[in-house]
Amino acid sequence: MSLDASQLNQQRKDDHVKLALGQQKEAKAAPFDDIRFVHHSFSLMSLDQVNITSHWAGHSHVMPFYINGMTGGSKFTKQFNEKLGMVAAETGLAMASGSVSAALKDPSLSDTFRIIREVNPHGFVMANLGAHHSLENAKRAVDLLQADALQIHLNVPQEIVMPEGDRDFSNWADNIQAIVAHVGVPVIVKEVGFGMSRETMLFLKSLGVQTIDISGRGGTNFVRIENDRNPSLDFSALAGWGQTTPESLLEAQAILGDGTVTLLASGGIRQPFDILKALALGASAVGLSGKFLASVDDLGIDATVEMVYQWRDTLKQMMLMLEAPTVAALQTKDMILSGSLLEWAQLRGID
Ligand code: FNR
């Protein structure tokens, strides 16, 4: 029996979740281990002075981390959106849907995304679309979820590795410019796990983009996911393509100076210590996808909510240890880079 285009799309969404869950079980290289804080023996403050509120996309968020864009578009993935949405509603975490492109093509799939808003009517919800979409589609995506912001993803390597992927990216810049100017909600332009260069970020800034999620290498790997979906492909040589999240954060130093762009970081975040380091390197907040997917799958909703509160408490304690009452204060702390991250900084002329 051959599947129609909508069924193929739904199968692809299911495969993405299953393969991403598989990747979470693997031991990985940990690019954040190349970052250390300098320890100082005084912290002349108390825990109740630590405030982890973070400000981005026109909103104050109670936590400096969020559930990043993943899924929807099939019955199987709707269950994940429901669970993740319930975690977001309970904890106050911001949450993004996966690309709503499937629902724009086949409206019978809309409920697989809308569930995120149904279970979390008052939370901060982001819709998600690829950069090949027009302003009109961007407005439809925001309407679908009654979204507070829109994520636009950049995923050239993923498209290239997919036999059915796009081969024409020539309208991306024009689309982004029009969407940022006219969609009516804050726009976050994000990668999908390949990281960003300073050249990319400067270009996004020139298009009027004010919030960028560098989403780097080190966690979920979409070259490998697409490669594993299709046994006749061999793009495994590209498995290490792209900048790690710490490398991308160093690249971002070029755009942070004048305060016009807010930086978000994601990709391979495993624990609160990684969040702390990404915030210290300039991110206003940190996104997690694979980790939350695996958590609701393995542990369920209640234990994931508990994990979020533990992470919040751990972050506050580590900020106390570093004498950092706010995320902004954390960004002034002394850090030491080593290994391949230091090499990257030297080769790219980043102080
Ligand atoms: C993703 N990601 C993603 N990103 C996006 O902008 N639109 C999307 O539709 C998807 N789909 C998707 C599905 C699944 C199952 C996963 C795990 C991830 C990418 C995601 O937002 C993030 O950029 C990367 O996953 C890197 O972060 P982690 O997973 O290492 O925390």
Side-chain angles (χ1 to χ4, degrees), residues 59-70:
H59 194 81
S60 280
H61 300 265
V62 289
M63 308 260 188
F65 53 100
Y66 58 95
I67 303 173
N68 215 352
M70 275 183 277

Side-chain angles (χ1 to χ4, degrees), residues 95 97 100 110 113-118 120-128 138-150 183-186:
M95 174 176 169
S97 71
V100 300
S110 298
F113 296 97
R114 221 181 266 130
I115 188 77
I116 292 173
R117 180 49 95 195
E118 274 167 32
N120 187 16
H122 308 297
F124 190 92
V125 168
M126 297 170 270
N128 182 298
K139 287 182 175 165
R140 289 172 64 202
V142 170
D143 283 350
L144 180 73
L145 287 174
Q146 295 299 302
D148 302 281
L150 175 69
V183 77
V185 293

Side-chain angles (χ1 to χ4, degrees), residues 162-182:
M162 287 194 298
E164 71 275 32
D166 285 345
R167 295 291 181 266
D168 179 359
F169 310 109
S170 56
N171 61 1
W172 279 19
D174 289 345
N175 288 341
I176 290 173
Q177 205 162 23
I179 291 169
V180 169
H182 302 295

